[in-house]
Amino acid sequence: QQVLQKHPGELIARAFLGDTQFALSDWAGAEKTWRAYAALAPSSAWAQGRLSKALARQGKHADAIAAAKRGFALLPTSPEARLELGSRFLDAGNLQEAEETLEPLSRAAKPRAEHLLRLGWAHWLEGELDAADAYFRRAADLATSPGEWRTKGRATYDLALVAAKRGQAADAKAQLKAAYATGYRVKELDPSLTAAAKELERDDLTRAAAPKPAKQRETSVLPLNLFGE
């Protein structure tokens, strides 16, 4: 903010400020920051996307969709601009429009795990379990780089939700365990996964309480002295 007071046109500083406000969940402040950025850089599809997110987090879904549409119009070939627009439809509960917007991302030569995850979530909200399961699995398989740990964790968590919805308790537990193994956690566990989470906790307690095997003393194959005694 001090930098911007001296250099209000400094876009890098403004972007850092906006992302910091995101991290602090200061959505109103972020909206103001990204509106100013977009005014300074009206051709930036990225700025419109960031603005749309700040608006959506405040429940301003009509304005958020409008900003995402502006970004997409500026750069219609951008997967990220399409993702932002599809995400804003999801936020607003416009599931059919979300699916129609996001589906082309799944047909890319090298689709991104995050894109498939978002499309899977749209199908999940529609109650289309088979389609959701397929996209979540593809997302989990594609999220292999260290930077995609959160996406992989979310994909396997969502697979646990699908399994629980189908009444497949063992698979729900296995998928939740896989999600936890990535380091992924949710603030509030879905109630359908409560039983699976408790089983995992019991498994951890059982392993912790199990007696450790005694270490066997190693026997040297070398002679104790020069005379072999």
Side-chain angles (χ1 to χ4, degrees):
Q1 289 178 331
Q2 293 176 349
V3 172
L4 290 174
Q5 287 175 357
K6 295 181 178 180
H7 308 283
E10 180 57 63
L11 293 178
I12 293 178
R14 198 169 294 278
F16 276 126
L17 174 60
D19 284 343
T20 300
Q21 289 165 324
F22 275 174
L24 296 172
S25 298
D26 179 10
W27 307 117
E31 176 190 348
K32 181 179 178 181
T33 298
W34 291 111
R35 280 193 186 281
Y37 192 114
L40 291 167
S43 63
S44 173
W46 178 69
Q48 293 293 345
R50 304 303 274 172
L51 173 59
S52 77
K53 180 178 178 179
L55 290 163
R57 293 300 181 271
Q58 298 175 81
K60 301 177 180 180
H61 296 301
D63 290 341
I65 290 172
K69 283 183 174 179
R70 290 194 297 271
F72 187 64
L74 286 167
L75 203 57
T77 59
S78 167
E80 295 306 318
R82 181 178 288 277
L83 179 66
E84 290 290 355
L85 179 56
S87 297
R88 298 298 82 81
F89 284 135
L90 265 180
D91 293 336
N94 301 349
L95 302 182
Q96 189 61 42
E97 289 176 287
E99 289 177 14
E100 292 173 356
T101 302
L102 295 170
E103 201 277 332
L105 295 173
S106 70
R107 300 195 304 268
K110 293 182 179 180
R112 285 183 54 188
E114 181 185 2
H115 299 169
L116 298 173
L117 178 61
R118 206 70 59 91
L119 182 55
W121 189 247
H123 285 286
W124 164 261
L125 293 175
E126 284 273 36
E128 299 167 353
L129 297 187
D130 289 345
D133 183 278
Y135 284 119
F136 292 152
R137 288 185 188 281
R138 287 180 64 191
D141 290 342
L142 285 173
T144 56
S145 70
E148 293 179 302
W149 69 269
R150 187 181 297 277
T151 299
K152 190 175 189 67
R154 180 70 209 203
T156 46
Y157 177 85
D158 289 345
L159 284 169
L161 290 177
V162 172
K165 186 75 171 179
R166 289 171 167 167
Q168 299 168 344
D171 191 33
K173 176 184 174 182
Q175 295 294 351
L176 186 60
K177 182 178 180 179
Y180 284 173
T182 68
Y184 182 81
R185 295 291 188 278
V186 291
K187 290 182 179 179
E188 294 184 15
L189 188 74
D190 189 277
S192 68
L193 296 176
T194 301
K198 287 182 177 179
E199 281 196 38
L200 291 175
E201 289 177 7
R202 284 195 293 270
D203 290 348
D204 288 341
L205 290 173
T206 299
R207 280 193 296 272
K212 303 294 188 294
K215 290 186 178 180
Q216 294 185 350
R217 188 175 179 181
E218 294 183 0
T219 302
S220 175
V221 296
L222 299 176
L224 299 180
N225 55 42
L226 293 177
F227 301 100
E229 298 176 347

